[in-house]
Amino acid sequence: MMENKAKIIVDDLTIAYGDFVLMKNVSFKVNKGDIFIIMGGSGCGKSSLLRVLTGLVPPAKGDVLINNVNFANASQAQKDEVMKKCGILYQSGALFSSMTLAENIALPLQQYTNYSDKLIKELVSLKLALVGLTGFEDFYPSEISGGMKKRAGLARALALDPEIVYFDEPSAGLDPISSKLLDDLIIEINQSLGTTIVVVTHELSSIFAIGNNSVFLDADVKGVGGYGDPKELLKNPPNQKLLNFLTRGEKGNA
């Protein structure tokens, strides 16, 4: 299982809250350079799985290896070291409202590096340029649109040049045009920087536009209902539930 190209390995994972088992027997692998989609209907456990992958929630059973460090038995210090090489874009962007965009993006650089103020300023400008926000350094989050907040949040997630970036429902709250622009940006970052990307979403347009690998979480079986390239899963669905989800033939999954 310990292949060099695997950035994330999930093996026989169970997630539970007390006696309530949310999912069980979950296994999949995210390879280096993947745009990996965690997909499924509401309540299937997508966000909980993301919390486990980012070390916020411990697994009830099984192994979760991030860059060959097993989060199931790692110390908090070990998890922190791994997460320094990971970035996270939250649904809302999670920018600090009292800080300018430049100050938001500079924060992780100030906390985790010994870079000079001059170098940090240059890196902040570079990250903002990467997401198409050149010239917005001194704007506050309240002064920009929802799509721009997502891109600014992405710039902050990329501040430390992470190997893995997690996206939590990146299209949530965006209009179709802004959503498409964000999808294009995800692909560009993946291809130009070689960043491994993990996206939690139920948006079909994004799933097929950006994903080259995926896992489908089925709330009924409390586990994996499909695993692989979303386009291939649509061509050869392993079960009706997954086909319904990928074609939106089932109510409640839209």
Side-chain angles (χ1 to χ4, degrees), residues 92-110 120-121 123-125 127-129 131-157 159:
S92 63
L95 298 169
F96 291 102
S97 60
S98 61
M99 293 181 174
T100 65
L101 300 192
E103 290 169 340
N104 267 280
I105 296 158
L107 190 59
L109 292 165
Q110 292 165 342
I120 288 176
K121 185 176 180 180
L123 289 172
V124 166
S125 294
K127 301 307 178 183
L128 283 171
V131 300
L133 289 176
T134 297
F136 286 86
E137 285 84 351
D138 296 328
F139 281 65
Y140 287 89
S142 61
E143 297 175 318
I144 60 177
S145 69
M148 294 169 75
K149 288 177 185 176
K150 292 285 181 82
R151 283 187 278 150
L154 178 54
R156 187 179 60 187

Side-chain angles (χ1 to χ4, degrees), residues 3-68:
E3 296 182 22
N4 289 332
K5 66 177 183 177
K7 300 296 287 182
I8 301 172
I9 296 173
V10 174
D11 185 34
D12 197 26
L13 175 69
T14 294
I15 300 176
Y17 295 96
D19 294 331
F20 175 73
V21 175
L22 183 63
M23 63 179 71
K24 57 188 177 181
N25 309 125
V26 173
S27 297
F28 61 85
K29 181 171 62 178
V30 180
N31 293 320
K32 182 178 181 180
D34 272 353
I35 299 181
F36 189 92
I37 307 294
I38 298 173
M39 58 184 179
S42 299
C44 69
K46 300 188 298 294
S47 294
S48 291
L49 178 55
L50 184 63
R51 293 187 189 104
V52 172
L53 294 179
T54 53
L56 297 176
V57 173
K61 177 190 172 188
D63 296 314
V64 178
L65 286 83
I66 315 291
N67 283 332
N68 295 336

